[in-house]
Amino acid sequence: MSAVVRPRARSGLWPALGFTLLALAISLLAYVLAGLGKRGHVPVTVGLYGSIFAVGYLAAWLAIRRLAPGADPALFPTAAVLVGLGFAVIFRLSGGLAAEQATWIALGLAAFCATLFLVRDHRQLDAYTYTIGLAGLVLLLLPIVPGIGREINGARLWVRVGPVGFQPSELGKVLIAVFLASYLAEKRELLRVATRTLGPLRLPPARHLMPVLLAWGASLAILFLQRDLGASLLYFGVFVVMLWVAAGRFAYLAVGGLLFSLGAWLGYRAFEHVQLRVDVWLHALDPDKVFAQGYGQLAQAWFGMATGGLVGTGLGRGSPGLIPFAATDFIFAAIGEELGLLGTAAVLLLYVTLVGKALRTALACPDAFGRLLATGLATTVALQTFVIVGGITRVIPLTGVTLPFVSYGGSSLVSNFVLLALLVRIDAGPAPPDAWRPGRRT
Amino acid sequence: MPPFALSALKYALLALLYLFIYRAVRSVAAGIAPRPSPTAPSGAPAAKRPPRRRPPTTLVVHVPDGSRPRTVRLTGPLEIGRAETCQVRLDDAYASLHHARLQHRDGAWVIEDLGSTNGTYVNDRRIAAPVEVHAGDVVRIGKTVLELRR
């Protein structure tokens, strides 16, 4: 172990406020700039949205200060900058979407504060291993239920009850990470034992490999029943990484990789839309195919990013409206067009910072459950970012997932804020006993 | 608004973004890499102030979970480690059972590594032989930081 985590000084008030104010300044500047670039004047909604950002960010800062005073000062602000940048791009694309996104940001920040308030010590989640696991599973499978499940863009991901539609799998992924951390922290001693060797790999007993096969089966079920490539990849990836970290055995990563390849091949053989994705990936700019159904998206995204060049056309001054799904899956390309290579590199660096801080939290956490949970949550953000950014830049075939904190979408934003609150909680340790006790009247 | 003003604002936005990243990344790096001046609340590196090398009287144990530091008076020899029999017990996965010994010898306090797996660090240097320690020095064992005070 060369990396050593030093105990942090507890008096980090001003750095945290400084980072929060800087995040607020970036968010507001990006938003005003988007209005200036698009319409030539400061947006008329500046008072409304400006105050949502100001009140929300400062409320979150205050909640961290009171409920999680030991937390990293830049953990929340890093996510806040991503949210602000995403909002500016969404506002630039459509005022209507921006109004919805502002509501979701307010709700997400409220969920962030509520999570910090309710989860006063992350170890209290460790007591409900199977309840949380079951809840997560139900949320994942909810869209399959006939009557309330809806199929949108070829994937069965949505649940609609009356006028309210949401993607339960987004919250499900957080609950599944909590469940896995709790389960694996308990079983890690068993998983660590290796009894047999297979070539260069030392394998644990077969029955301890069962959970891997089970998770693989569940991911395939998601793939086949909901036709959601991105989520399937995400769950399985997070599971394998957490198992690997819990057990400290490379064999799990290798077996996981093999199973993943097998699953990917099965998916490719079984589904036409998977074959199409692979073909688009290989021939995105092929002049013979670019006008065919399904091929234009990536080409538009690439032309958008190429137009942006090094510093971009400036917020509001490009034409990212040509990119399909520019506010959700392809928002990275829209950022590339209007803020250029420097803007997209900044976004990636923000994720590196966020994930780095989360892994540092894992390293410093004294209990196994917290370590695994922080690792799992960090992997969720990292893998999701990789899947969508890799898809847009054609490193891997494109699968539609949201860019965490940046993309338009309520379920995704609120769940990611809950995820962030858990990271802040693990980083800070238990809440001070006198801070805003629930149920105490004054 | 003239285009050059918009461009200037765009560069300002990018500059602010990178300023944020620089500060945030610096705080990550500062959190992980051991720096020459470690956590002692007094702050100043002991090695750079040779005149003030006084014998320590207390040992302050900083546990990485952020709970309140423990204070141990230095009276006789102390054994530090995970074992039940140690005078200073550490609940630290990176510490050995019998990790190090701190004892008074020839008018000075001396720390000695007892053949631990992960080593004992005095002011971020791994020690190979018994080392004299003074007030203000910082000893690191696994993830635990032990601070010597007057």
Side-chain angles (χ1 to χ4, degrees):
Chain A
M1 287 296 293
S2 58
V4 170
V5 179
R6 299 183 299 125
R8 210 180 357 253
R10 304 219 107 204
S11 59
L13 157 64
W14 298 113
L17 186 59
F19 275 121
T20 309
L21 290 177
L22 191 54
L24 185 61
I26 292 172
S27 305
L28 293 182
L29 179 60
Y31 154 65
V32 170
L33 203 51
L36 280 175
K38 192 180 174 190
R39 303 207 181 85
H41 57 82
V42 175
V44 287
T45 44
V46 70
L48 177 64
Y49 294 156
S51 48
I52 287 180
F53 274 111
V55 171
Y57 285 7
L58 289 176
W61 166 75
L62 196 64
I64 295 170
R65 167 139 182 73
R66 288 298 299 272
L67 293 163
D72 188 304
L75 196 52
F76 167 77
T78 305
V81 171
L82 288 168
V83 170
L85 274 184
F87 179 78
V89 173
I90 293 162
F91 173 77
R92 179 256 166 282
L93 286 164
S94 147
L97 285 186
E100 287 177 38
Q101 182 76 349
T103 316
W104 291 120
I105 290 172
L107 276 174
L109 289 167
F112 176 85
C113 298
T115 310
L116 275 186
F117 182 76
L118 293 173
V119 184
R120 302 185 85 82
D121 183 341
H122 63 269
R123 279 167 294 188
Q124 76 196 56
L125 296 173
D126 200 9
Y128 305 103
T129 313
Y130 294 99
T131 318
I132 289 176
L134 194 67
L137 203 63
V138 167
L139 284 177
L140 288 192
L141 299 180
L142 214 52
I144 305 173
V145 178
I148 56 171
R150 289 280 179 281
E151 189 168 316
I152 295 178
N153 297 329
R156 208 175 167 89
L157 276 181
W158 286 78
V159 166
R160 189 163 280 280
V161 184
V164 188
F166 63 102
Q167 262 173 293
S169 60
E170 289 285 345
L171 192 60
K173 82 184 178 195
V174 180
L175 294 184
I176 293 283
V178 176
F179 163 71
L180 286 176
S182 183
Y183 177 82
L184 293 173
E186 195 183 316
K187 301 274 191 240
R188 70 187 195 285
E189 295 302 332
L190 291 173
L191 298 167
R192 211 166 270 178
V193 188
T195 51
R196 289 171 306 149
T197 53
L198 184 79
L201 296 175
R202 303 213 298 144
L203 287 177
R207 71 195 165 92
H208 294 147
L209 276 173
M210 281 309 286
V212 191
L213 294 172
L214 219 65
W216 181 62
S219 313
L220 277 188
I222 293 171
L223 178 63
F224 280 76
L225 294 172
Q226 304 183 342
R227 302 200 204 140
D228 184 5
L229 279 173
S232 160
L233 197 161
L234 190 63
Y235 292 124
F236 190 61
V238 169
F239 175 77
V240 169
V241 169
M242 287 179 77
L243 193 62
W244 173 49
V245 171
R249 295 223 150 270
F250 180 72
Y252 287 110
L253 208 56
V255 169
L258 284 175
L259 285 175
F260 173 75
S261 315
L262 185 63
W265 182 76
L266 282 177
Y268 180 76
R269 298 307 300 246
F271 293 120
E272 255 174 48
H273 81 282
V274 179
Q275 290 164 15
L276 179 68
R277 293 284 175 84
V278 174
D279 199 52
V280 173
W281 172 51
L282 296 173
H283 306 286
L285 298 176
D286 190 333
D288 295 335
K289 290 185 169 173
V290 79
F291 293 108
Q293 177 72 30
Y295 285 79
Q297 298 182 350
L298 264 178
Q300 289 287 13
W302 271 47
F303 273 97
M305 289 191 286
T307 310
L310 184 63
V311 291
T313 57
L315 279 169
R317 294 197 286 163
S319 41
L322 293 174
I323 303 170
F325 305 107
T328 53
D329 294 357
F330 281 90
I331 198 161
F332 190 75
I335 294 173
E337 176 163 355
E338 301 213 313
L339 288 173
L341 178 66
L342 285 177
T344 47
V347 168
L348 291 183
L349 283 173
L350 286 168
Y351 283 113
V352 170
T353 312
L354 194 65
V355 171
K357 281 177 184 298
L359 291 177
R360 177 200 184 283
T361 299
L363 215 55
C365 182
D367 63 285
F369 168 67
R371 271 201 295 275
L372 277 173
L373 182 55
T375 311
L377 298 178
T379 313
T380 309
V381 174
L383 211 55
Q384 192 168 340
T385 308
F386 172 74
V387 165
I388 186 62
V389 174
I392 291 172
T393 51
R394 282 177 71 202
V395 175
I396 53 171
L398 181 76
T399 54
V401 292
T402 56
L403 190 58
F405 297 108
V406 177
S407 286
Y408 164 79
S411 326
S412 158
L413 200 59
V414 173
S415 328
N416 280 319
F417 269 119
V418 171
L419 185 156
L420 185 70
L422 290 179
L423 278 176
V424 169
R425 169 54 72 222
I426 300 169
D427 197 39
D434 54 337
W436 292 337
R437 286 238 59 100
R440 197 177 68 179
R441 303 266 183 273
T442 44
Chain B
M1 199 169 216
F4 73 86
L6 283 175
S7 294
L9 282 173
K10 176 179 79 187
Y11 287 111
L13 176 68
L14 286 170
L16 271 183
L17 263 176
Y18 279 91
L19 173 71
F20 182 95
I21 292 165
Y22 167 71
R23 307 242 4 217
V25 167
R26 208 177 52 165
S27 78
V28 174
I32 292 178
R35 287 205 296 184
S37 145
T39 50
S42 51
K48 284 183 186 164
R49 290 189 310 186
R52 291 187 57 196
R53 293 178 75 78
R54 296 171 175 161
T57 58
T58 47
L59 182 71
V60 183
V61 183
H62 297 275
V63 188
D65 67 2
S67 57
R68 279 179 62 92
R70 269 185 294 157
T71 309
V72 183
R73 298 288 298 176
L74 294 178
T75 48
L78 289 177
E79 202 163 281
I80 306 166
R82 278 191 298 122
E84 297 274 351
T85 52
C86 288
Q87 286 82 7
V88 180
R89 270 201 70 205
L90 303 179
D91 187 20
D92 186 327
Y94 294 96
S96 297
L97 281 171
H98 299 275
H99 198 108
R101 185 185 294 128
L102 184 62
Q103 58 188 333
H104 202 70
R105 197 191 284 170
D106 306 329
W109 284 89
V110 172
I111 191 159
E112 178 186 0
D113 190 272
L114 300 174
S116 67
T117 313
N118 293 320
T120 303
Y121 294 76
V122 174
N123 297 332
D124 279 323
R125 261 196 215 102
R126 186 166 181 165
I127 59 170
V131 166
E132 239 178 65
V133 285
H134 306 272
D137 283 351
V138 173
V139 177
R140 208 186 71 227
I141 289 175
K143 290 182 174 181
T144 312
V145 173
L146 307 140
E147 185 200 346
L148 291 145
R149 283 194 193 160
R150 263 180 61 75

